[in-house]
Amino acid sequence: MHPKETYEPLLSDDGDIQSPVNVASERKHRRVRFRDLLLVIETVLLFAGFILWLRNTRPARIMKETCQLLYSPAQDAIQYEVKQFRNGIWDATIYEGEPSEELDQAWNDLYNDFGISQIPKWQADLLPNPSAPFDENPDYYIVQLSMFHQMHCLNTIRKALRPDYYTDPVTGLLDGFSPRGLRAHMKHCVDNLRQAIMCAGDISPIVWHWSDEDQGNIVNLDVPHSCRSYDSLAAWAKAHQSQYHFNQTMRKTKAQI
């Protein structure tokens, strides 16, 4: 036979006698509380890690969704829409016609007042190429969406086609360029637009149809295109329109950039 086991009462923290059952129960409750505390800590850490992951991977996810291979601060603004192109020969748009103040204003409204944008440093750090900060506020950096530079080039070419109207009779400048400077700028603009067209790679099919009047198949340019919304990207540019002047002649050191 085993000797008879005996138990001695235990004292609680306040001096009361606790039975072995109560002691075991208290230990169990402590383990449960400790486990619950660990669970709360793990949940907080997991949530913090998820937020950090979301912030770090968001640009990459958006680039994948928008087929962007390189980061752009405007990639959130990309939207797609179907646009019906107009031939422009028989049905002129507001961007065609004889030079006038109204025509110039229509072109300027496309980009001129909001073409330069400002972005915070964390976005500038994601750019594939470094950009310079503003002198007035080095927390913001200078960028311009390429399509606005392309629009500027096209507008300058448009004006160059009508030197009789756009050449200043006093200075002889056209859109701020001397004749020699304009020729060099036109070479740049034509090739820049070539690269932009090749980069965009518009695959919308142009078709031919029979014309009784011409007695032959003629090209039909009035076809729908899958386009990035210009209005959406222009809205982004207006929301990030530069509020500061930048000095193009001031060189930034690597420490400043």
Side-chain angles (χ1 to χ4, degrees), residues 178-221:
S178 67
R180 181 179 178 182
L182 183 64
R183 286 193 296 272
H185 195 66
M186 289 302 94
K187 290 172 60 179
H188 149 75
C189 278
V190 168
D191 200 56
N192 185 265
L193 291 176
R194 174 194 64 80
Q195 294 177 75
I197 292 170
M198 293 177 69
C199 177
D202 188 352
I203 60 174
S204 304
I206 294 172
V207 298
W208 275 254
H209 66 267
W210 178 261
S211 168
D212 289 332
E213 181 180 350
D214 295 292
Q215 283 298 294
N217 286 300
I218 62 173
V219 66
N220 178 19
L221 300 176

Side-chain angles (χ1 to χ4, degrees), residues 118-158:
Q118 62 185 44
I119 59 173
K121 187 178 186 305
W122 74 267
Q123 287 186 320
D125 289 341
L126 295 174
L127 297 177
N129 298 96
S131 189
F134 287 94
D135 297 329
E136 298 177 48
N137 189 342
D139 291 334
Y140 286 93
Y141 286 69
I142 310 159
V143 294
Q144 181 183 46
L145 300 187
S146 290
M147 70 174 187
F148 296 132
H149 173 257
Q150 294 153 12
M151 195 63 70
H152 150 76
C153 265
L154 186 58
N155 195 20
T156 303
I157 293 174
R158 176 187 72 86

